[in-house]
Amino acid sequence: GAVVSQHPSRVICKSGTSVKIECRSLDFQATTMFWYRQFPKKSLMLMATSNEGSKATYEQGVEKDKFLINHASLTLSTLTVTSAHPEDSSFYICSAREAGSYNSPLHFGNGTRLTVT
Amino acid sequence: SQKIEQNSEALNIQEGKTATLTCNYTNYSPAYLQWYRQDPGRGPVFLLLIRENEKEKRKERLKVTFDTTLKQSLFHITASQPADSATYLCALAGSGNTGKLIFGQGTTLQVKP
């Protein structure tokens, strides 16, 4: 089945530093990937839609200069949290959809727990 | 704006019983609806998709209904097992053909042996 690999699973960084999270589709091509953020006992909040070869589309209220998204290939999207602050601590999850169908199920990575100290 | 509501209270049931979870939505008419399972510290896993022209969908012990008049989906797990304990999320297609999914807050199910 379709597998999405997300790394790292956990990261602790100091305030002011940047952190990069990778999301790879291992056995399928993904023209579109989605980045979500999840707070404890809360739902997934869509941050941005990452399109291969073009700029990401950010949801309202999400700072594009703070959360840099790059989708350089059909199997890799990265999210970089720049100048991280404690309030950026959260669970970040990427997802991907197989190319060719806009309403097929999403395949999720296992998330990255970011802690900013 | 689109709003999706799931019962935020945890659902506790006895093993062997049927669990029924509810997903209500407003200000929207989605073409389809999906259900996912999420275990603690993990990403969601897709379970079922039901389209607006389908009343019911089944997969093994799972059953989903979709009532576009009531703007509601029900998710049933029959003969529940402790391994079914998890958080279940419903998701609706975002407006426009963007492929975005908007998630409800999820309902945590606890099946007791």
Side-chain angles (χ1 to χ4, degrees), chain B residues 43-59:
Chain B
V45 175
F46 170 74
L47 296 175
L48 281 168
L49 179 153
I50 187 166
R51 303 183 194 284
E52 61 180 339
N53 61 349
E54 298 175 314
K55 296 290 186 187
E56 182 180 297
K57 204 78 168 282
R58 291 176 185 260
K59 179 183 176 182

Side-chain angles (χ1 to χ4, degrees), chain B residues 59-76:
Chain B
K59 179 183 176 182
E60 298 173 352
R61 294 185 295 111
L62 309 181
K63 185 178 83 171
V64 171
T65 64
F66 194 6
D67 190 325
T68 55
T69 301
L70 290 178
K71 294 188 182 294
Q72 179 182 80
S73 175
L74 298 178
F75 177 80
H76 307 271

Side-chain angles (χ1 to χ4, degrees), chain A residues 32 34 36 38 41-44 46 49 59 91 93 97 102-111 113, chain B residues 31-32 34 36 38 41-46 49 51 89 96-106:
Chain A
T32 304
F34 302 91
Y36 289 85
Q38 189 174 35
K41 298 189 178 180
K42 297 290 185 183
S43 184
L44 297 157
L46 180 63
T49 302
E59 295 299 303
F91 191 52
I93 314 177
R97 175 176 284 127
Y102 79 94
N103 63 358
S104 59
L106 291 181
H107 305 289
F108 284 85
N110 273 325
R113 173 74 59 193
Chain B
Y32 62 91
Q34 301 182 15
Y36 289 77
Q38 185 176 24
R42 306 295 290 264
V45 175
F46 170 74
L49 179 153
R51 303 183 194 284
L89 306 166
N97 292 338
T98 61
K100 295 191 296 186
L101 280 184
I102 310 300
F103 283 82
Q105 73 269 40

Side-chain angles (χ1 to χ4, degrees), chain A residues 31-32 49-57 69-73:
Chain A
T31 52
T32 304
T49 302
S50 168
N51 300 297
E52 186 265 335
S54 64
K55 291 184 179 180
T57 304
I69 292 173
N70 183 277
H71 194 154
S73 76

